[in-house]
Amino acid sequence: MMVSALPLLVSACQDFLVAPDEFHTIHPNGDKTKCLDVRSANFQDGTAVQIFDCNGSPAQQWKISRGSTTVQIHAPPFCLDAGSTPANGVPMKIWECFHNLPAQTWFYNLDNSIALKDTGFCLDLPGGAHFSGNQVQTWACVNGNSNQVWTLD
């Protein structure tokens, strides 16, 4: 009987499964017309990370997995980076990936928030505004805050 329950369990949990070695588009609060994007596809240290119309470009392809993770852009070696002093309103950027760097160590939660590990700050869409060019930021994590919900394709 346990074997027949397995497909049901997998079906119920598939929204929580994220393939760790695949690239995904990351959407603000389920809005599949907007994607997390590296501004102007400029793959250099310090380039802003924003919301932009989804276009399928490498600037919108991210490697992310549930739990402790880096958020790496398709064009290595760059990762989502919160800087050395995370706080409310700190704009997000990409930076060369460094293993175990606190500014690049995130936690993708089951509630679809992406939290900077062990800081209390989350990836946040300022004002919840879904306009192209809105640069994402860190902000104190708040349960149920729709500005901090990120879904994957």
Side-chain angles (χ1 to χ4, degrees):
M1 287 222 162
M2 290 291 265
V3 173
S4 64
L6 185 57
L8 181 59
L9 177 62
V10 170
S11 175
C13 295
Q14 79 183 64
D15 286 343
F16 296 111
L17 300 176
V18 177
D21 293 325
E22 293 182 11
F23 289 94
H24 305 273
T25 52
I26 302 175
H27 306 284
N29 200 18
D31 181 352
K32 292 190 177 204
T33 67
K34 300 294 180 188
C35 288
L36 194 64
D37 176 270
V38 174
R39 187 166 287 160
S40 302
N42 182 17
F43 302 111
Q44 294 184 32
D45 286 343
T47 301
V49 176
Q50 64 184 1
I51 294 304
F52 201 79
D53 293 333
C54 294
N55 57 35
S57 77
Q60 298 179 348
Q61 300 296 311
W62 301 88
K63 188 182 289 186
I64 183 174
S65 59
R66 288 279 176 199
S68 185
T69 186
T70 56
V71 183
Q72 181 182 338
I73 190 66
H74 189 270
F78 297 102
C79 288
L80 183 65
D81 188 286
S84 59
T85 54
N88 285 341
V90 172
M92 292 297 92
K93 62 188 176 296
I94 58 168
W95 204 268
E96 181 181 348
C97 297
F98 291 97
H99 185 65
N100 289 328
L101 183 68
Q104 297 176 355
T105 305
W106 300 86
F107 199 92
Y108 188 36
N109 295 295
L110 292 178
D111 67 358
N112 291 331
S113 63
I114 302 173
L116 191 58
K117 195 168 181 191
D118 299 327
T119 66
F121 291 99
C122 284
L123 184 64
D124 183 271
L125 184 62
H130 291 219
F131 65 84
S132 288
N134 192 4
Q135 187 172 357
V136 295
Q137 63 183 5
T138 52
W139 200 267
C141 298
V142 176
N143 288 339
N145 183 346
S146 62
N147 299 353
Q148 298 175 352
V149 173
W150 302 93
T151 54
L152 307 181
D153 267 350

